[in-house]
């Protein structure tokens, strides 16, 4: 099994980040000096992905514009001696082969991923959620691809979350295989207390076989009338082997305000232009609190 393609569903309405996301896609909000989506695409490329499909909608054309050339701007930068910056802009557009498909109705994550059937064809493929950002030594998607390729099956990534947080995620029934890898036997979305099987939730990264498409097409709408990816995954893990990687790294949900601010602070503290300044600023501020 070789994983070369990735799908990034980014067609959600971003209601938790309103009013900012009324006209700016949440995936395009800047995290220090780059849009959220760029971090996700960098993770995919560093994991060996060559072709990337972004699932978008009619309000999100800023995403395809961003991964395109902008000759007038590059020319202006070069004329004013900023060739390096012009080169950086072009390098972003050249990172991967980009493809786009529109989700014409916002009918849930499972429905968004089902739009990728023609792009994916008959290969296994990766999914990276458009608002989940990872900070890790080995790219999180690479950790999943290594496991998927080793065990020749689908792979979902996640970590243990607290008892309080679990009802917002999903619960998994797992048995240990080796190291950080587990076999998945069952998955339940947004579990009630009596449904909890473990605290290992699935967090924004997947490698799936194309068998998921027939399953998603047959999955009835669930919560909020949306087609839930988790319902499809629960069926996939019953039909064929699926492994879980308890990934190494830190995950930020930039789709909510505190997650977005947390990510902004962490990335700003590590950024060469802002790190030292922010550290001093926080120390000064802490004196007044
Ligand atoms: P979320 O539930 O986090 O995104 O979906 P949302 O619906 O935009 O957020 P809120 O709850 O209204 O604030 C996870 C990912 O799936 C995509 C989102 O863009 C996000 O990257 N998604 C969700 C779609 O592409 N289509 C959908 O119909 C729903």
């Amino acid at each position: 099994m070789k994983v070369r393609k990735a799908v990034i569903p980014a067609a959600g309405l971003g209601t938790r980040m309103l009013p900012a996301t009324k006209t700016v896609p949440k995936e395009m909000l800047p995290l220090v000096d780059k849009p959220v989506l760029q971090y996700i695409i960098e993770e995919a490329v560093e994991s060996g992905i060559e072709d990337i499909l972004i699932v978008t909608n009619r309000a999100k054309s800023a995403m395809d514009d961003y991964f395109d050339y902008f000759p007038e701007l590059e020319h202006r930068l070069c004329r004013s001696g900023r060739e390096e910056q012009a080169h950086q802009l072009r390098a972003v557009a050249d990172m991967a082969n980009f493809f786009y498909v529109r989700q014409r109705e916002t009918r849930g994550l499972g429905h968004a991923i089902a739009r990728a059937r023609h792009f994916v064809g008959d290969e296994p493929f990766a999914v990276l959620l458009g608002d989940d950002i990872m900070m890790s030594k080995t790219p999180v998607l690479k950790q999943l691809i290594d496991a998927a390729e080793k065990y020749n099956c689908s792979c979902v990534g996640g970590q243990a979350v607290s008892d309080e947080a679990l009802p917002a995620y999903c619960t998994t029934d797992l048995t240990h295989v080796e190291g950080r890898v587990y076999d998945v036997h069952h998955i339940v979305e947004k579990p009630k207390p009596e449904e909890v099987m473990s605290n290992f939730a699935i967090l924004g990264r997947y490698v799936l076989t194309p068998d998921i498409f027939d399953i998603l097409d047959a999955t009835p709408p669930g919560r909020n009338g949306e087609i839930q990816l988790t319902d499809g995954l629960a069926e996939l893990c019953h039909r064929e082997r699926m492994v879980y990687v308890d990934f190494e790294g830190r995950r930020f949900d930039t789709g909510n305000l505190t997650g977005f601010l947390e990510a902004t602070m962490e990335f700003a503290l590590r950024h060469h232009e802002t790190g030292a300044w922010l550290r001093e600023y926080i120390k000064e501020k802490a004196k007044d609190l």
Side-chain angles (χ1 to χ4, degrees):
M1 175 190 273
K2 183 94 193 83
V3 185
R4 298 183 309 111
K5 294 181 177 177
V7 176
I8 303 181
L13 298 178
T15 56
R16 287 168 297 159
M17 293 291 275
L18 285 169
T21 48
K22 184 178 172 191
T23 52
V24 179
K26 66 175 169 181
E27 297 80 8
M28 292 306 291
L29 292 175
L31 211 57
V32 191
D33 59 353
K34 294 186 285 195
V36 165
L37 190 56
Q38 188 172 335
Y39 291 85
I40 294 169
I41 284 169
E42 285 169 356
E43 179 190 333
V45 170
E46 284 162 17
S47 304
I49 297 295
E50 297 158 16
D51 294 347
I52 298 178
L53 177 79
I54 302 177
V55 184
T56 166
N57 68 24
R58 67 188 75 77
K60 297 205 173 192
S61 49
M63 296 193 295
D64 29 321
D65 290 344
Y66 187 80
F67 294 100
D68 193 2
Y69 291 162
F70 194 164
E72 296 79 6
L73 177 60
E74 291 163 22
H75 188 61
R76 170 71 66 86
L77 289 169
C78 289
R79 266 199 344 230
S80 55
R82 294 155 75 184
E83 285 86 0
E84 179 55 30
Q85 219 172 5
H87 173 75
Q88 275 171 7
L89 291 186
R90 196 150 269 236
V92 168
D94 287 335
M95 265 194 303
N97 304 313
F98 292 102
F99 302 84
Y100 303 89
V101 65
R102 282 194 178 187
Q103 184 187 19
R104 284 180 283 200
E105 292 173 291
T106 313
R107 292 179 55 203
L109 177 56
H111 180 260
I113 290 172
R115 303 306 100 210
R117 186 193 271 267
H118 292 290
F119 164 79
V120 165
D122 202 20
E123 297 182 37
F125 66 104
V127 175
L128 304 95
L129 296 196
D131 52 2
D132 269 334
I133 290 216
M134 306 293 176
M135 189 180 258
S136 61
K137 227 160 56 202
T138 305
V140 169
L141 183 62
K142 176 83 171 61
Q143 299 175 39
L144 267 68
I145 289 177
D146 286 348
E149 291 182 348
K150 178 166 181 186
Y151 297 100
N152 202 30
C153 64
S154 294
C155 177
V156 292
Q159 290 180 330
V161 303
S162 67
D163 291 345
E164 299 71 49
L166 194 64
Y169 294 95
C170 68
T171 178
T172 50
D173 178 19
L174 307 176
T175 50
H176 189 238
V177 177
E178 60 166 342
R180 305 183 77 92
V181 180
Y182 298 78
D183 268 319
V184 185
H185 306 293
H186 193 43
I187 307 169
V188 174
E189 171 81 344
K190 308 234 173 337
K192 300 187 187 85
E194 64 276 15
E195 291 174 320
V196 172
M197 299 174 287
S198 77
N199 283 42
F200 286 110
I202 300 173
L203 303 171
R205 297 293 183 267
Y206 318 78
V207 175
L208 303 173
T209 63
D211 299 333
I212 192 71
F213 292 117
D214 283 344
I215 295 175
L216 287 175
D217 285 352
T219 301
R223 207 174 31 88
N224 298 336
E226 296 192 334
I227 296 171
Q228 300 292 335
L229 174 63
T230 311
D231 294 342
L233 294 177
E235 179 60 26
L236 187 66
C237 79
H238 292 157
R239 288 196 194 178
E240 56 186 51
R241 189 172 189 191
M242 176 187 287
V243 292
Y244 177 102
V245 169
D246 174 16
F247 63 71
E248 278 180 302
R250 187 155 166 209
R251 171 246 181 197
F252 301 92
D253 175 5
T254 64
N256 72 70
L257 203 50
T258 50
F260 182 80
L261 290 176
E262 202 185 340
T264 301
M265 301 277 273
E266 289 292 345
F267 281 90
L269 282 168
R270 285 163 179 74
H271 192 280
H272 66 282
E273 276 180 47
T274 56
W277 169 82
L278 183 57
R279 207 157 280 120
E280 280 313 306
Y281 182 79
I282 292 170
K283 276 188 206 152
E284 278 305 309
K285 269 282 155 203
K287 290 180 194 160
D288 305 334
L289 298 175

